[in-house]
Each structure stands twice: as C-alpha cells, then as structure tokens.
Amino acid sequence: MTDRTRSASPTFSLGGRSAKKTPQTTNSSGLLMSGGDGSLPLPPSEANKRQRTWRNGYAAVLDIGSTKITCLIGKGEPNGMLRVVGCGWRRSDGIRNGAITDLHKAEAAIRATVGQAEMMAERTIDRVVVNLSCGHPASRLFNVRWPVGGRVVTEADIRRVVTEGRVQATVEGRDVVHTLPIDFTVDDTENVADPRGHLCETLKARLHIIDAASTALLNLQTVLSRAELKLEALVSSPMASGLSVLDADERELGTTVIEMGGGTTSLAVFGEGQILHTAQIGVGGLHVTRDIARGLSTSLENAERLKTVYGSADLSSDVEDELLTVELLGNDVPHFEQISRAQLGRIIRPRMEETLELVREKLDGAGLGNAASGRIVLTGGASLLDGMRPLAERILGSPATKGRHGPSFTRTVRLGRPKHIIGLPEKTAAAAGFATAAGLLSWAASAERPFGDVEFREAPPSGFLQKLVAFIREKV
C-alpha cells in the first residue's frame, strides 16, 4: 500500500541551501505549487477567475461634458469584454463647467448625439445612464451603528443601517446620489464585506455617500425629459473613469484617478477594492484654451488647435526653436504673428500647475493616509496634453507625509485609457477622452452594481389603501 501521507508532503528548506531549484508547477486542480526556492505562493483568487456577468440586452449611456457630449450603446460579451454597437459624439453646447446653462442648446446637442448613436446601432433608446458632474458633487464618509440584539443579520438590517447613514448625510438643498458601503463591523470583527448571516449585538457600517445640489439634478432631468429620455441612473464621473481604466489590483492597493475634462477636473481615490473619496475642481482644459486665446489675442478655435497640436505642459521639452504662426483677432484683413512653441508652453504651464496643485491639496486633505498616497492615473481629454505626465510626477509624485500607521509612499503616475472595450471611436491613447463614457457603459451593462452601491427604489404598494395613497401622492 502506498504511503499517501508521506508521498504528498512537500519538503521546505528555510535556509535555501539544500533546496533544488525547480520551476513552479500547477497541480491537476490548477493550483500553483511551491517553487524550488522554498517559497509558497498565494493561492489563486477565485474572485479574479470569476467571469463578469452582464445584463441581458443593450445598455445606453450619456456622458455630458463641458467639451463634448458622448452617447454609447452597447452590451457585454460572454468573454467579459464590452462591445459598442452605436456611438455618437459632438461638441457640447449649453453646458459650462459640467452644469447645464442653456436648456434649449443642451437639449439640441443631446438629441443630435443620441440620434447619431441610434443610427449607428440601428435601434432606438429611451433610457440612459448619465454621468454626475453637475451640482458640485461632494463626498463624505459616515460611521453608522445599528442594534441587532444577538440575532442573525438580515438584508433588512443592512438596509436600515444604510438608510440611517443617508439620514445623517441629508443636507437641505442636496440629494444623495451614491450610497457605497465600504465595509461592516460585526461586534468586534472588522472589515466584513457581507454581514448577512452573522450573529451579533451591534452592526456598524462605514459608508461613502456622494450627493449633489438638488436644483442642478432637476435641471438635468428636465433637459433629458425634453430630449425624450428617461434617467435610469446617475454615476459619479471619476468613479466611472476608474471602472474603465483601473485593474482590480489597482483598486485594491490604492490608486487615485484624475479625470481631466474640459470644464472640471475630478478625482476618485480607490482602495480596499472600494471607492473611498471623490472631489471636483472647477478647472479644466477649456481654461487653458481661454488662457491661450487671451495671451495671444487669437480666437478660441485657433487657441484650441494650438493647444492640441503644439501645446506642452513640460517646458523641459526641446521646443525653443520651433516657430508657430498665429492668426490675430480684431483686424479687417487676416493678420498673422509668429511665436515660439516655448512661448505657447509658458502660457499653458501655469494653469496646469495650478490644476495639479489643487488636486494635491484635495488628496492631502482627504485624510485617507496610504490609500491616497499610491499610484496616480491621469485620464480624460486634457490628460492628452503633451508633457502632462512628467509635470504630474513632479507635482504629485513626491513622497506623501509619513503617517502614524505606516511608511510614506512615492506616488507614481501613468496615463490611463479604457480597457476591455471594443468599438470606441478612438483606439489609441486618445481613447482617454472616452474613459468616463466607457465606465458608464460598464456600470450600465453590469448585472451587479459596482462597489455595492445601494439603490433605494421604493417597493410598489401592495394593499388597496397603499395603492390609493400612492396614486394621490403622484397626482397631487
């Protein structure tokens, strides 16, 4: 008889001198076995193996930005990829710094964008998931306690503790958009992802709540209604960008996504697999365009072209000898002047430095410790400006202040573009301008709400009296 115990027991050498170096192998179950150096690798994560599940049918999203409006229609594929079947995008109108300023112009722009996507997809849509950038979105953390009384935690308990958090977060004139449970504590057991089924006396929850100004949200719903669209859900813009440009490990270890748009720059801090903080700054790529137009006395259209084609945020580039021709404003006949590319860069750089310094202040003031001290990912249209990465590394990449609970880390910077999606208008690095739209589509097509977002849709009334009360409320 074979001695199964002895033959199955591996021998480890802590000193490593007697270990025979052999390549790592996998067993019949696919598990990674120890290598010849005596190290024992982590077992593979089942969460990483699990294929993402998608909703049936097609989803439609609308990214309403200060520079452009984008509509995507698509669906999830069995291989985990997203496929875009319809895309429309055009210059924004009636929108400034993420807010709707002209209902008529915004409606016309949205209608045209959606119509373009519908024509390409050969199908019509009436519901859309929309990005949240209006109403000055704000992000806050809450710690909530709920007495359970020694019984099993149910889903009703979770909804009660989350509801209590929403009540605490209520501010007059603002509406809650996202309620994101970061983790739960079951009595003395911390970092519980799902407390259902646990026995406990007290359930605690750490909640991340994002809200926005009520009037801005009503204006958004109004313009969508006028464009014959129903708002299916609102999703924070930097959260959507993080869904499209980050890997699961980046969201777990601590990464900040900086979404650099036309009218605003927004950021989201990810850590522990969750979104921990968001913030928005009222400065973006259009402010750079206006600086160029003022500084060179040229039109906004010419300024945008100069920024896009020749602009650089990094003056260390060798651009001193390159001359550019600029058409000046205010002349009866066309009048041109030559400037160096370095002169253009000297107009651009102060605004981009200001933007990144404001981002750094937001990160340092978030109170998130190492979660906000790791990797930085730049995305959005303004991140495509030449020299943005080295400038961001100098301003954001220095070591953060050492905290009480761990060492300091140097922030590393990379450029991010949408992943695992097919059919975007741009397939190169320029796809960064569609990061929010791609993340919105990922959110809309997913069968499960990312980051455990708790939706509060009231259950339909069951009894006759409840139905009567609901009818009166709706009509009055």
Side-chain angles (χ1 to χ4, degrees):
M1 180 180 292
T2 304
D3 187 345
R4 300 175 63 89
T5 304
R6 289 178 59 186
S7 62
S9 300
T11 300
F12 299 101
S13 171
L14 297 178
R17 292 202 312 182
S18 61
K20 180 180 178 182
K21 298 201 173 188
T22 57
Q24 292 178 331
T25 59
T26 56
N27 63 13
S28 59
S29 301
L31 296 177
L32 187 65
M33 304 298 290
S34 62
D37 59 356
S39 62
L40 184 63
L42 288 171
S45 169
E46 292 299 322
N48 292 336
K49 284 183 176 182
R50 186 163 60 91
Q51 190 70 265
R52 187 164 190 179
T53 55
W54 303 108
R55 291 167 51 186
N56 293 327
Y58 292 87
V61 301
L62 195 62
D63 175 14
I64 303 176
S66 302
T67 305
K68 70 178 185 301
I69 299 176
T70 305
C71 178
L72 298 181
I73 303 173
K75 62 182 298 186
E77 298 284 336
N79 62 359
M81 298 288 287
L82 276 170
R83 181 176 295 277
V84 176
V85 299
C87 176
W89 63 292
R90 62 183 52 226
R91 181 179 295 183
S92 293
D93 201 7
I95 299 158
R96 189 181 180 93
N97 295 347
I100 296 171
T101 56
D102 189 314
L103 292 175
H104 297 285
K105 290 181 178 179
E107 176 196 346
I110 290 171
R111 281 183 177 274
T113 305
V114 172
Q116 185 182 358
E118 289 177 327
M119 184 178 298
M120 180 178 173
E122 298 181 345
R123 63 183 64 245
T124 59
I125 61 173
D126 59 2
R127 302 169 64 89
V128 287
V129 172
V130 183
N131 65 308
L132 171 66
S133 59
C134 63
H136 302 285
S139 169
R140 290 173 291 162
L141 296 178
F142 291 87
N143 293 304
V144 184
R145 298 166 59 94
W146 183 259
V148 177
R151 57 176 173 80
V152 171
V153 177
T154 65
E155 186 167 342
D157 292 311
I158 296 176
R159 296 188 74 83
R160 289 189 189 105
V161 76
V162 172
T163 300
E164 177 63 24
R166 290 171 68 93
V167 171
Q168 292 183 20
T170 300
V171 177
E172 185 177 356
R174 297 183 68 84
D175 288 342
V176 173
V177 177
H178 291 295
T179 306
L180 306 162
I182 297 173
D183 58 29
F184 296 89
T185 298
V186 179
D187 288 339
D188 296 327
T189 305
E190 299 179 345
N191 300 319
V192 176
D194 186 352
R196 289 175 296 181
H198 287 251
L199 286 165
C200 73
E201 293 289 337
T202 304
L203 177 65
K204 302 175 187 176
R206 191 160 55 119
L207 304 176
H208 177 200
I209 292 179
I210 301 173
D211 63 5
S214 305
T215 52
L217 300 183
L218 286 173
N219 286 332
L220 176 60
Q221 288 184 317
T222 298
V223 75
L224 291 174
S225 178
R226 291 169 63 157
E228 300 178 78
L229 294 169
K230 185 174 181 180
L231 177 63
E232 183 174 352
L234 273 172
V235 180
S236 167
S237 290
M239 181 194 299
S241 296
L243 278 175
S244 69
V245 303
L246 296 185
D247 294 326
D249 282 343
E250 289 179 308
R251 292 194 291 267
E252 179 67 31
L253 297 175
T255 302
T256 299
V257 173
I258 302 174
E259 204 273 326
M260 308 185 75
T264 61
T265 297
S266 54
L267 60 95
V269 180
F270 295 83
E272 307 170 40
Q274 299 291 337
I275 179 168
L276 306 177
H277 180 71
T278 64
Q280 183 169 289
I281 300 164
V283 183
L286 288 177
H287 293 79
V288 178
T289 301
R290 294 190 185 102
D291 289 343
I292 296 171
R294 294 189 189 100
L296 300 180
S297 297
T298 189
S299 67
L300 289 171
E301 186 174 348
N302 285 335
E304 179 67 22
R305 182 184 63 83
L306 287 169
K307 180 188 75 174
T308 304
V309 179
Y310 303 106
S312 175
D314 183 18
L315 291 182
S316 63
S317 302
D318 186 17
V319 295
E320 289 290 342
D321 296 332
E322 188 172 353
L323 294 179
L324 309 175
T325 301
V326 181
E327 183 177 358
L328 303 182
L329 285 175
N331 296 285
D332 296 332
V333 295
H335 185 71
F336 299 91
E337 185 175 288
Q338 284 193 324
I339 64 166
S340 68
R341 191 177 172 193
Q343 184 178 345
L344 176 64
R346 282 191 286 270
I347 297 174
I348 293 172
R349 180 165 176 166
R351 181 68 75 173
M352 301 315 301
E353 286 179 332
E354 175 199 16
T355 303
L356 294 173
E357 285 166 358
L358 289 171
V359 168
R360 176 164 186 151
E361 288 178 10
K362 293 286 187 181
L363 289 176
D364 292 344
L368 296 175
N370 292 336
S373 302
R375 179 181 296 264
I376 299 284
V377 177
L378 303 178
T379 192
S383 71
L384 301 174
L385 184 65
D386 184 48
M388 274 305 305
R389 180 178 175 180
L391 182 65
E393 286 176 340
R394 285 196 292 274
I395 294 177
L396 303 176
S398 59
T401 303
K402 183 174 180 179
R404 293 180 300 171
H405 304 293
S408 62
F409 292 90
T410 300
R411 295 182 179 126
T412 60
V413 181
R414 75 168 176 87
L415 300 179
R417 58 181 179 179
K419 301 179 180 181
H420 314 302
I421 186 166
I422 304 168
L424 284 179
E426 299 285 353
K427 298 180 182 179
T428 62
F434 295 90
T436 297
L440 290 174
L441 187 59
S442 176
W443 176 283
S446 178
E448 300 176 356
R449 280 289 170 255
F451 310 114
D453 194 9
V454 180
E455 294 183 279
F456 281 81
R457 295 178 180 173
E458 295 182 4
S462 55
F464 172 77
L465 184 59
Q466 290 179 333
K467 290 180 179 179
L468 179 61
V469 171
F471 175 80
I472 294 172
R473 284 178 177 173
E474 182 179 351
K475 298 301 180 183
V476 173

